[in-house]
């Protein structure tokens, strides 16, 4: 058990045993919370859904972001109880919001380590919370499917049969095998923010984004652009026909209370600066 006032891990140079003890303590003492980043319809500006992002609230200091502790959680197996907590909490909150307001979609990240148990934990979270499966989207990365494509395709088909939606996250950064697009039952493609960042500066990044969008639409997938930070990126993505945008231009990840406030507006638009 970690002592109060234990230094907060910052990622680099953290002793993994220390992080492991702190993560166990966090699980026991309710020190995780969820932030929600809006996903916005690029054509209408309307709120379409949100991605759930895990935050760890250490006894002292600022919330810790996932890259500083997910690797340790994965290495120690703690990703399983943490990931189940994320799913259950996110599904429960969304179900309550859906009951009071208009239906809303929530995207939850699944670590590659959780992948083999995905069907079991998703089913349990849906049963426990009563959430309509169509309101849940699972974000997986290419890493989850790279090792064994036929097995991964099987897992995704079973998840699909539960009625949940599937998104391929950080598209373009991993292997980006076109095999994945051909063989996996994926509904949404998320273009990694490195391409979005590059598309104003270089014609190559712009052409890649344009053609990822075209390819995804040809395969009846929706496209989310990640890391949209400027009006210039938004305008270009809109012209290219990208469906949804997520990024600091629209909103930073929000506390649940704030997202709820957005949802209760008659027209839940997310304003941008430009
Ligand atoms: P991701 O799934 O690609 O999530 C998007 C990340 O980009 C988030 O970082 C978000 O805060 C950040 N972001 C969003 N808009 C912008 C922008 O306009 N500019 C910039 N520079 N960044 C932006 P975060 O919250 O630190 O999460 C990092 C990664 O940690 C996520 O990447 C995801 O892979 C992982 N993660 C987050 N929550 C969970 C979780 O519950 N379970 C698992 N297994 N992984 C998670
Ligand atoms: Mg994600
Ligand atoms: Mg992503
Ligand atoms: Mg990313």
């Amino acid at each position: 058990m970690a002592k109060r006032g234990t230094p907060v891990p910052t990622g680099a140079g953290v002793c993994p045993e220390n992080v492991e003890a702190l993560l166990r303590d966090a699980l026991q003492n309710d020190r995780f919370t969820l932030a929600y980043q809006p996903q916005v319809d690029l054509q209408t500006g309307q709120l379409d859904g949100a991605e759930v992002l895990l935050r760890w609230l250490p006894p002292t200091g600022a919330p810790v972001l996932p890259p500083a502790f997910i690797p340790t959680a994965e290495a120690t197996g703690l990703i399983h109880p943490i990931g189940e907590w994320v799913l259950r909490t996110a599904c429960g909150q969304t179900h309550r919001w859906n009951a009071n307001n208009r239906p809303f979609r929530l995207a939850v990240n699944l670590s590659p380590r959780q992948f083999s148990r995905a069907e079991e934990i998703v089913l349990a979270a849906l049963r426990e919370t009563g959430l309509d499966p169509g309101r849940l989207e699972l974000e997986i990365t290419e890493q989850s499917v790279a090792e064994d494509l036929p097995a991964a395709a099987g897992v995704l088909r079973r998840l699909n049969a539960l009625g949940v939606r599937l998104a391929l996250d950080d598209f373009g950064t991993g292997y980006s095998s076109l095999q994945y697009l051909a063989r996996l039952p994926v509904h949404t493609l998320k273009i990694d923010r490195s391409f979005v960042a590059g598309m104003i500066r270089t014609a190559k990044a712009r052409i890649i984004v344009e053609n990822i969008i075209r390819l995804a639409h040809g395969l009846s997938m929706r496209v989310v652009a990640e890391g949209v930070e400027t009006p210039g990126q938004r305008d270009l993505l809109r012209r290219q026909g990208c469906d949804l945008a997520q990024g600091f231009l629209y909103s930073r990840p929000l506390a649940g209370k704030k997202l709820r406030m957005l949802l209760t507006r008659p027209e839940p638009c997310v304003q941008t600066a430009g």
Side-chain angles (χ1 to χ4, degrees):
M1 187 75 66
K3 291 189 196 80
R4 304 272 142 166
T6 308
V8 175
T10 53
V14 180
C15 164
E17 293 87 63
N18 189 27
V19 175
E20 183 181 350
L22 288 166
L23 288 177
R24 284 188 194 284
D25 174 68
L27 263 172
Q28 274 166 14
N29 295 301
D30 245 356
R31 292 194 181 282
F32 287 111
T33 188
L34 299 178
Y36 297 84
Q37 189 173 37
Q39 295 183 340
V40 180
D41 185 312
L42 265 164
Q43 306 303 329
T44 65
Q46 289 241 357
L47 189 64
D48 187 89
E51 179 174 6
V52 174
L53 297 162
L54 181 59
R55 301 290 180 256
W56 169 19
L57 306 170
T60 56
V64 185
L65 301 178
F69 63 89
I70 292 280
T72 303
E74 287 178 331
T76 56
L78 282 170
I79 191 66
H80 296 295
I82 293 173
E84 284 166 41
W85 180 87
V86 171
L87 254 179
R88 229 179 17 246
T89 308
C91 289
Q93 287 185 332
T94 312
H95 184 52
R96 286 194 294 279
W97 293 337
N98 279 339
N100 300 335
N101 308 294
R102 72 180 57 65
F104 184 71
R105 178 182 49 78
L106 207 67
V108 175
N109 291 285
L110 270 195
S111 142
R113 286 290 306 272
Q114 293 175 276
F115 197 65
S116 55
R117 294 194 203 167
E119 195 189 354
E120 177 192 331
I121 62 170
V122 169
L123 199 56
L126 291 172
R127 281 214 180 113
E128 208 174 295
T129 61
L131 181 72
D132 170 0
R135 300 286 155 218
L136 178 63
E137 186 162 83
L138 300 171
E139 296 196 359
I140 57 155
T141 58
E142 290 158 297
Q143 218 191 319
S144 292
V145 295
E147 227 168 72
D148 187 345
L149 184 57
V155 173
L156 293 183
R157 269 196 301 274
R158 289 194 295 279
L159 287 169
N160 213 2
L162 299 179
V164 300
R165 298 175 56 85
L166 299 165
L168 207 47
D169 203 355
D170 302 336
F171 189 76
T173 54
Y175 304 84
S176 298
S177 162
L178 296 180
Q179 281 273 5
Y180 301 161
L181 297 185
R183 295 188 50 183
L184 302 174
V186 171
H187 305 86
T188 304
L189 208 72
K190 297 192 74 176
I191 301 178
D192 189 70
R193 76 180 149 87
S194 54
F195 291 107
V196 175
M199 67 190 293
I200 296 291
R201 288 193 304 270
T202 77
K204 278 187 181 167
R206 193 157 61 242
I207 288 164
I208 288 171
V209 170
E210 195 175 311
N211 283 285
I212 292 176
I213 295 169
R214 192 171 303 164
L215 179 63
H217 283 170
L219 296 167
S220 306
M221 295 176 187
R222 295 218 297 176
V223 184
V224 182
E226 296 189 307
V228 179
E229 293 183 347
T230 69
Q233 292 164 349
R234 174 200 59 200
D235 295 345
L236 192 52
L237 286 160
R238 197 185 270 156
R239 281 205 298 280
Q240 291 181 336
C242 185
D243 304 287
L244 302 172
Q246 180 183 342
F248 296 166
L249 175 70
Y250 289 96
S251 173
R252 298 228 164 214
L254 302 171
K257 240 186 348 203
K258 290 219 169 123
L259 183 79
R260 245 212 94 165
M261 271 163 52
L262 271 183
L263 279 171
T264 48
R265 288 190 198 156
E267 291 276 304
C269 284
V270 181
Q271 303 299 330
T272 61

